[in-house]
Amino acid sequence: MANVKAAIPKGTRDFGPVVMNRRNYIFDTIKKVFRKYGYQEIQTPTMENLDTLTGKYGEEGDQLIFKILNSGEYLSDFEIKNQVINDLNDPTFAAASASLNLISKKDKSILELKLGHEDGIKRLVAYRKLTQQISEKALRYDLTVPFARYVVMHQHEITSPFKRFQIQPVWRADRPQKGRYREFYQCDADVVGSDSLLNEAEFVCIYDEALSLLGLKDFTIKINNRKILSGIAELIGKPNQIVDLTVAIDKLDKIALEGVEKELLEKGFERKDLDILKPVILLSGTNEEKLNALKSILSNSMIGLKGIEEIDKVFSYLKNFDLSNAKIQLDLTLARGLNYYTGCIFEVKTNEAAMGSIGGGGRYDDLTGMFGKEGLTGVGISFGADRIYDVLEELNLFPTDVTESTKVVICVFGEAEEAFAIPILNQLRRADISAELFPYGTKMKKQMQYANDKNIPYVIVIGGDEMQSGLLSLKNMETGEQVKVNIEEIMDKISSEKPPH
Amino acid sequence: MANVKAAIPKGTRDFGPVVMNRRNYIFDTIKKVFRKYGYQEIQTPTMENLDTLTGKYGEEGDQLIFKILNSGEYLSDFEIKNQVINDLNDPTFAAASASLNLISKKDKSILELKLGHEDGIKRLVAYRKLTQQISEKALRYDLTVPFARYVVMHQHEITSPFKRFQIQPVWRADRPQKGRYREFYQCDADVVGSDSLLNEAEFVCIYDEALSLLGLKDFTIKINNRKILSGIAELIGKPNQIVDLTVAIDKLDKIALEGVEKELLEKGFERKDLDILKPVILLSGTNEEKLNALKSILSNSMIGLKGIEEIDKVFSYLKNFDLSNAKIQLDLTLARGLNYYTGCIFEVKTNEAAMGSIGGGGRYDDLTGMFGKEGLTGVGISFGADRIYDVLEELNLFPTDVTESTKVVICVFGEAEEAFAIPILNQLRRADISAELFPYGTKMKKQMQYANDKNIPYVIVIGGDEMQSGLLSLKNMETGEQVKVNIEEIMDKISSEKPPH
């Protein structure tokens, strides 16, 4: 067998022990809070049927779905594939396919540039048709669509309202870059089947509790409501351009007011529209002051007032919950990209580090319609685990014992000492202390190095003296302190500490 | 968007809350034991480069690897693919490829049957070449090859001996059937860089402790050593037929002695070989008696004696560890299929249920050679999580609180009661009690049904009376008992129980 270079696909990562422990610490903390609020874990398959996923993430999203080659069964339908392959060389086919609008404008223009008009389109169409023939499954692109599929598929088994959380990897064929991976974990909680705004309020509490447990002291949960944005679009007299409007004002942070105005003018909005919009999105003051101002601004918009009422209700719930560290901010420029949101939307930012949002979510009124079950309302949030990891690392918030694995390692000088050590090892483990015995035959220095590399806080050294006296050398690897004590004293010393993660 | 049927690919599974909790219980128990013995968790990517995986699992294994279609980049090398496609129609190419031995005998004969000789081969070769061009990545097929890849890739960062565990799904394009899935979890622990047989002994302890914690009372850990099997092959005078020999005697359980003899005769062994073999594999008595008998039988085989010595050493370690429930059995017919094993091998069977092996493993001397790092010894074991799940279910060994999620749900009659309930909810959660408030607006009967469906042990009911008196109705859902008590008494009652998983 030829040697193969040990490498992994670009955009993917190995997680070694230290990183893994820290990731587990984050996920375990969030899971604990999800469970405390009554959310239950589910898992869905890594592979979904391709038709479950396509068409749900827009034209660009569809292209970022990793498709799995059919396997085993390919012989049976080889005829069809052969047909596709033959199509490649048939110019009338290409022309016909192009008129069927099978490919997007963007793809068309890229292809025209690269390969010349007809040839390019012909090839793309044939490639897509081939893909359909040789791939029926794809990797999960997010957790939301599989969740919607799950809810419909298991609608007669689930308890309503159904409160579920799900922490699993997703895959996107994006160009990898710093902080953007082709495989990454999503961490979602959703409740479907309840329109109560208590759910929204509790999601704020979940963010507050989980992020506070992780050591964050200063973070803001921004809240807005899609209905308020619809009200603003009504106010301007362009209710059908709600998407253009939200896409533009969502960028206020990045491109400033001038940028937003420029984009809206390009989309067909007029100066007078901007004059109405500007004071609304620039509203300042406390949440209450903003809401009061909005009430009069949107007094003629039914949907706008409904949005205000919803936010009001969430705020009134939140007065009765005691938040630890979260600041709640009504942010009228918060829009969030996803088009399925219909009510309250959230986004979480830390104020302690320069970082994009570390969480977000919102209410949707018809997520399961795509699978034939209409009108099921729900609301959900997501934690950005990779970003939270980076924040905790930057702020030095990982507890030191998170990276601790083994509590104590017994180092021995020879075979007799090894035999002597086994009952001690048993005693430690019986007390649920994570303990190792370094097999004899390795130099003491290397054994010590092992303890050091693995961040093991205690080392017991056993040589001839220790075997005779029964007093073992216990070294504290952090302080360097070394004492000779009996096993009972060792047990006391080590057990009095917190258990390892 | 057209409606799509809510379905998942065959051979894959959704895990709902109850199953998920039970799976977590199994994995958490095993993880806890792995950590206690100094094993640290790692994770590797779901996708590996195709050349990392191919050639490692045999011809049949290669065909069961799920391949991922290249995505995004396909335009750039479309020319090459076009070439492949053209090859399809070139008869001289097919003839040439066939002579290059690109396809296996088995595939060849299937194709000849189905499509006629030349056409079939032509198509298969072209398909394979096309696959190579359009797929560079594949789904993880097991945890062992990615681990070997990891060790080589990170050899300068890891602490030696490197003790890692890994619990992740793997994918195989096998024909799905009862108990065989296309996506399933593997649960492995390995140590590389230590030849001490203490590691083998500790793996026996790990099996014993984890399975005992899971409630199994009667299970057997079978042990053998590949060197003993080599010794037997030497004894027969056919050391090069060790693979045929092990494959055959591994089936003793299934096809009985007659079957094994028949298979060996077909493979070129002779009657006199069987006369030597038979008494060895049928050796009975205690482990010690078997070892003693073997010592004289294999007295002329260096490698056989080495195997006996290794087993002897593992047994002598085990005398000093105290096992809870495991029975240790030297089983000379245990061979295990994987060819990379070179020393001790293990297999675990429960004696309480009819089930194949629930765990297995062994020592290998050159796992990382395939990635260019020779001579790194290691030993590892695996738990069969799906089978363990089935055994625990059959024996009714899942603790009842495993499927408990929320400890208490507060049910209210109206909006005022909901507001009244929030401080109580806060108090419960502050005490780390998993608690829910059912939003107002739902009939009490449905709220109770919710508690029942979710296996929630306590319900607090709040109506007008309760608000006035401050005495809340607490219902124990298991016994049906209902009492009126204040919140402090409720806290006492609920906190005194074990925390939920």
Side-chain angles (χ1 to χ4, degrees):
Chain A
M1 185 186 322
N3 274 353
V4 169
K5 187 172 178 290
I8 51 175
K10 61 180 174 175
T12 69
R13 293 169 285 178
D14 281 326
F15 298 119
V18 172
V19 175
M20 201 59 223
N21 278 348
R22 289 177 168 179
R23 288 173 64 85
N24 281 337
Y25 165 71
I26 293 173
F27 289 131
D28 289 347
T29 303
I30 296 172
K31 278 183 195 175
K32 192 183 142 190
V33 177
F34 283 158
R35 290 203 178 99
K36 193 162 155 181
Y37 283 75
Y39 286 79
Q40 297 180 296
E41 188 168 13
I42 70 161
Q43 284 187 350
T44 61
T46 293
M47 301 188 274
E48 293 277 352
N49 291 329
L50 192 50
D51 63 5
T52 298
L53 304 184
T54 41
K56 311 300 188 300
Y57 308 107
E59 173 84 21
E60 278 189 44
D62 276 359
Q63 291 189 34
L64 300 182
I65 294 172
F66 275 112
K67 293 160 195 79
I68 296 164
L69 212 51
N70 292 348
S71 185
E73 313 101 297
Y74 62 82
L75 285 171
S76 57
D77 59 346
F78 203 89
E79 307 305 323
I80 310 167
K81 273 160 237 152
N82 242 1
Q83 186 51 50
V84 176
I85 288 162
N86 290 336
D87 287 346
L88 259 176
N89 298 314
D90 174 3
T92 58
F93 164 77
S97 305
S99 69
L100 284 174
N101 246 337
L102 279 176
I103 58 175
S104 72
K105 271 190 209 163
K106 193 181 150 201
D107 281 338
K108 231 183 246 178
S109 58
I110 292 172
L111 282 165
E112 280 174 14
L113 225 71
K114 281 203 179 174
L115 301 165
H117 180 70
E118 194 167 348
D119 200 32
I121 292 172
K122 189 176 89 178
R123 287 174 181 189
L124 183 60
V125 171
Y127 184 82
R128 289 225 177 147
K129 206 171 159 192
L130 183 65
T131 301
Q132 275 170 26
Q133 297 297 344
I134 62 178
S135 167
E136 289 157 358
K137 293 179 285 289
L139 297 184
R140 187 169 52 222
Y141 181 87
D142 72 357
L143 302 180
T144 308
V145 170
F147 174 57
R149 193 266 309 143
Y150 179 96
V151 168
V152 176
M153 195 169 149
H154 302 277
Q155 53 186 303
H156 303 299
E157 308 152 32
I158 63 181
T159 306
S160 183
F162 184 50
K163 299 164 84 172
R164 87 87 173 78
F165 76 86
Q166 192 169 353
I167 299 178
Q168 290 191 276
V170 301
W171 296 268
R172 296 184 184 177
D174 246 326
R175 191 172 298 275
Q177 51 179 254
K178 190 179 169 345
R180 193 204 280 162
Y181 304 99
R182 292 186 146 192
E183 173 177 48
F184 59 97
Y185 272 69
Q186 287 193 336
C187 178
D188 286 14
D190 288 82
V191 49
V192 290
S194 167
D195 59 7
S196 170
L197 293 156
L198 177 63
N199 299 299
E200 274 85 340
E202 290 207 338
F203 276 132
V204 171
C205 298
I206 287 175
Y207 272 135
D208 177 62
E209 186 159 345
L211 295 175
S212 298
L213 278 173
L214 290 170
L216 294 184
K217 295 258 178 303
D218 183 7
F219 51 93
T220 301
I221 302 176
K222 296 178 176 188
I223 303 185
N224 198 5
N225 193 299
R226 275 290 176 96
K227 297 188 179 79
I228 293 178
L229 295 172
S230 296
I232 297 172
E234 275 190 8
L235 187 69
I236 296 174
K238 296 202 160 59
N240 295 328
Q241 277 190 272
I242 171 80
V243 172
D244 288 337
L245 187 71
T246 52
V247 166
I249 66 175
D250 201 31
K251 297 181 193 157
L252 188 66
D253 260 10
K254 286 179 203 148
I255 59 176
L257 188 62
E258 293 68 36
V260 173
E261 292 190 335
K262 186 164 166 281
E263 181 167 328
L264 287 173
L265 290 171
E266 283 167 5
K267 294 277 183 187
F269 286 80
E270 294 158 65
R271 260 291 144 212
K272 70 172 171 54
D273 300 335
L274 302 184
D275 291 341
I276 302 171
L277 179 66
K278 211 168 97 177
V280 183
I281 63 173
L282 294 184
L283 268 182
S284 63
T286 64
N287 293 337
E288 212 167 311
E289 287 163 357
K290 285 185 203 167
L291 276 179
N292 284 333
L294 269 184
K295 274 176 202 166
S296 63
I297 294 171
L298 296 178
S299 58
N300 289 320
S301 163
M302 284 275 285
I303 192 162
L305 291 175
K306 180 87 177 95
I308 294 168
E309 188 192 316
E310 288 180 8
I311 292 275
D312 241 347
K313 181 74 185 171
V314 173
F315 284 167
S316 88
Y317 275 123
L318 286 175
K319 277 192 197 107
N320 293 316
F321 284 109
D322 28 31
L323 300 180
S324 301
N325 292 301
K327 294 180 174 59
I328 309 301
Q329 185 195 337
L330 173 62
D331 180 350
L332 298 168
T333 71
L334 176 66
R336 290 190 66 74
L338 297 167
N339 279 321
Y340 51 73
Y341 290 129
T342 50
C344 283
I345 46 181
F346 309 102
E347 206 160 274
V348 188
K349 291 200 76 163
T350 169
N351 304 315
E352 298 174 271
M355 178 64 74
S357 75
I358 55 174
R363 179 172 289 273
Y364 38 84
D365 278 344
D366 188 27
L367 194 66
T368 53
M370 56 179 103
F371 298 108
K373 190 173 174 61
E374 311 277 341
L376 194 62
T377 184
V379 52
I381 58 166
S382 184
F383 283 84
D386 281 313
R387 286 186 174 173
I388 291 171
Y389 186 103
D390 290 345
V391 170
L392 298 196
E393 190 160 55
E394 185 181 330
L395 300 178
N396 209 10
L397 288 177
F398 284 111
T400 51
D401 64 354
V402 163
T403 48
E404 206 176 79
S405 47
T406 301
K407 199 74 188 174
V408 54
V409 59
I410 308 177
C411 300
V412 295
F413 279 99
E415 190 169 5
E417 285 89 345
E418 188 190 75
F420 180 86
I422 291 181
I424 298 167
L425 184 65
N426 286 335
Q427 200 172 338
L428 288 161
R429 287 182 180 157
R430 264 198 302 271
D432 267 336
I433 293 166
S434 168
E436 292 181 63
L437 167 56
F438 202 107
Y440 82 90
T442 299
K443 283 192 181 130
M444 190 50 69
K445 197 181 154 194
K446 217 194 140 205
Q447 297 188 50
M448 286 296 185
Q449 190 56 47
Y450 177 84
N452 213 48
D453 289 347
K454 256 184 116 167
N455 200 18
I456 299 174
Y458 292 101
V459 171
I460 296 172
V461 179
I462 302 181
D465 283 359
E466 283 82 1
M467 282 172 70
Q468 269 207 313
S469 68
L471 291 178
L472 313 176
S473 298
L474 178 71
K475 184 168 178 178
N476 180 321
M477 292 297 281
E478 206 194 325
T479 63
E481 180 203 22
Q482 188 158 341
V483 289
K484 285 221 170 187
V485 284
N486 65 27
I487 180 66
E488 281 69 30
E489 287 171 281
I490 289 178
M491 298 290 293
D492 282 351
K493 224 177 169 72
I494 296 179
S495 318
S496 66
E497 300 214 358
K498 277 196 300 181
H501 287 269
Chain B
M1 182 186 323
N3 274 353
V4 169
K5 188 172 177 288
I8 51 176
K10 61 180 175 176
T12 69
R13 292 169 287 177
D14 282 326
F15 297 119
V18 171
V19 175
M20 201 59 225
N21 278 347
R22 290 177 168 179
R23 289 173 63 86
N24 281 337
Y25 165 72
I26 292 174
F27 289 131
D28 289 347
T29 303
I30 296 171
K31 279 183 193 176
K32 191 183 141 187
V33 177
F34 282 159
R35 291 205 177 98
K36 192 162 156 182
Y37 284 74
Y39 286 78
Q40 297 180 297
E41 187 168 14
I42 70 161
Q43 283 187 351
T44 61
T46 294
M47 301 189 274
E48 293 278 351
N49 291 329
L50 192 50
D51 63 4
T52 297
L53 304 185
T54 41
K56 311 300 189 298
Y57 308 107
E59 172 85 22
E60 277 187 48
D62 277 358
Q63 290 189 33
L64 300 183
I65 293 173
F66 276 111
K67 292 161 196 81
I68 295 164
L69 212 51
N70 291 348
S71 186
E73 312 102 299
Y74 62 82
L75 286 171
S76 58
D77 57 348
F78 203 90
E79 308 304 325
I80 310 167
K81 273 161 239 154
N82 242 358
Q83 186 51 50
V84 176
I85 288 163
N86 290 335
D87 286 347
L88 260 176
N89 298 314
D90 173 5
T92 58
F93 164 78
S97 305
S99 69
L100 284 174
N101 247 337
L102 280 176
I103 57 175
S104 71
K105 271 191 211 162
K106 192 181 150 201
D107 282 335
K108 233 183 246 177
S109 58
I110 292 173
L111 281 165
E112 281 173 13
L113 227 70
K114 280 203 181 178
L115 302 164
H117 180 70
E118 193 166 348
D119 200 32
I121 292 171
K122 190 176 87 175
R123 287 175 180 189
L124 182 60
V125 171
Y127 183 82
R128 289 225 177 149
K129 209 170 157 192
L130 183 64
T131 301
Q132 274 170 27
Q133 297 297 344
I134 61 177
S135 168
E136 289 158 357
K137 293 180 284 291
L139 297 184
R140 185 168 54 223
Y141 181 88
D142 73 356
L143 302 179
T144 308
V145 170
F147 174 57
R149 193 266 310 143
Y150 179 96
V151 168
V152 176
M153 194 170 150
H154 301 277
Q155 55 186 301
H156 303 298
E157 307 151 33
I158 63 182
T159 307
S160 183
F162 183 51
K163 297 163 85 171
R164 87 86 174 79
F165 75 87
Q166 191 169 353
I167 299 178
Q168 290 190 276
V170 301
W171 296 268
R172 295 184 184 177
D174 245 326
R175 191 172 300 273
Q177 51 180 254
K178 191 177 169 344
R180 192 205 280 163
Y181 303 99
R182 292 185 146 192
E183 172 177 50
F184 59 96
Y185 272 70
Q186 288 193 334
C187 178
D188 286 14
D190 288 81
V191 48
V192 291
S194 167
D195 60 6
S196 169
L197 294 156
L198 178 62
N199 299 300
E200 274 85 339
E202 290 208 339
F203 276 132
V204 171
C205 297
I206 286 175
Y207 273 133
D208 177 61
E209 186 159 343
L211 296 175
S212 298
L213 277 174
L214 289 172
L216 295 185
K217 296 258 176 301
D218 183 7
F219 51 92
T220 301
I221 303 175
K222 297 178 173 188
I223 303 186
N224 197 6
N225 193 299
R226 275 288 175 98
K227 296 187 179 80
I228 292 178
L229 295 173
S230 296
I232 297 173
E234 275 190 8
L235 187 69
I236 296 175
K238 297 202 160 59
N240 295 329
Q241 278 191 272
I242 170 80
V243 173
D244 289 336
L245 187 71
T246 52
V247 167
I249 65 175
D250 200 33
K251 297 181 194 156
L252 188 65
D253 259 10
K254 287 178 203 148
I255 59 177
L257 188 62
E258 293 68 37
V260 173
E261 291 190 337
K262 185 164 169 279
E263 180 168 329
L264 287 173
L265 290 170
E266 283 166 6
K267 293 278 182 188
F269 286 80
E270 294 159 65
R271 258 291 143 213
K272 70 171 170 54
D273 300 336
L274 301 184
D275 291 341
I276 302 171
L277 179 66
K278 211 168 96 176
V280 182
I281 63 173
L282 294 184
L283 268 182
S284 63
T286 65
N287 294 336
E288 211 166 312
E289 285 164 357
K290 286 186 203 166
L291 276 178
N292 283 334
L294 268 185
K295 272 175 203 165
S296 64
I297 295 171
L298 296 178
S299 60
N300 289 321
S301 164
M302 284 275 284
I303 191 160
L305 290 175
K306 181 85 178 94
I308 294 167
E309 188 191 316
E310 288 180 9
I311 292 275
D312 240 346
K313 182 74 185 171
V314 173
F315 285 166
S316 89
Y317 274 123
L318 286 175
K319 275 192 199 108
N320 292 316
F321 285 107
D322 28 31
L323 299 181
S324 300
N325 292 303
K327 295 181 172 59
I328 309 299
Q329 184 195 339
L330 174 62
D331 180 349
L332 297 168
T333 71
L334 177 67
R336 290 190 65 73
L338 297 167
N339 278 321
Y340 52 73
Y341 291 127
T342 50
C344 283
I345 45 182
F346 309 101
E347 206 159 274
V348 188
K349 291 199 76 162
T350 169
N351 304 315
E352 298 173 270
M355 178 65 75
S357 77
I358 55 174
R363 180 171 287 275
Y364 38 85
D365 278 344
D366 188 27
L367 194 65
T368 54
M370 56 179 103
F371 299 107
K373 188 171 175 65
E374 310 277 341
L376 192 62
T377 184
V379 53
I381 58 165
S382 184
F383 283 85
D386 281 312
R387 284 185 175 173
I388 291 172
Y389 186 103
D390 291 344
V391 170
L392 297 196
E393 190 159 54
E394 185 181 332
L395 300 178
N396 209 9
L397 288 177
F398 285 111
T400 51
D401 64 354
V402 163
T403 48
E404 204 176 81
S405 49
T406 301
K407 198 73 186 175
V408 54
V409 60
I410 309 177
C411 300
V412 295
F413 279 98
E415 190 169 6
E417 285 89 344
E418 187 191 76
F420 181 86
I422 291 181
I424 298 166
L425 184 65
N426 286 336
Q427 199 172 340
L428 288 161
R429 286 181 180 158
R430 264 198 302 270
D432 267 336
I433 293 166
S434 169
E436 292 182 63
L437 168 56
F438 202 106
Y440 83 89
T442 299
K443 284 194 180 127
M444 190 51 68
K445 197 181 157 195
K446 217 194 141 205
Q447 297 188 50
M448 286 295 185
Q449 190 55 46
Y450 177 84
N452 212 49
D453 288 348
K454 258 183 114 167
N455 200 17
I456 299 175
Y458 291 102
V459 172
I460 296 172
V461 180
I462 302 181
D465 283 359
E466 284 81 3
M467 280 174 70
Q468 269 206 314
S469 67
L471 290 178
L472 314 176
S473 299
L474 177 73
K475 182 168 180 177
N476 181 321
M477 293 296 281
E478 205 193 325
T479 63
E481 180 203 23
Q482 188 159 340
V483 289
K484 285 220 170 190
V485 284
N486 64 27
I487 180 67
E488 281 69 32
E489 286 171 281
I490 289 178
M491 298 290 293
D492 282 352
K493 222 175 171 74
I494 296 179
S495 318
S496 66
E497 302 214 358
K498 277 196 301 181
H501 286 271

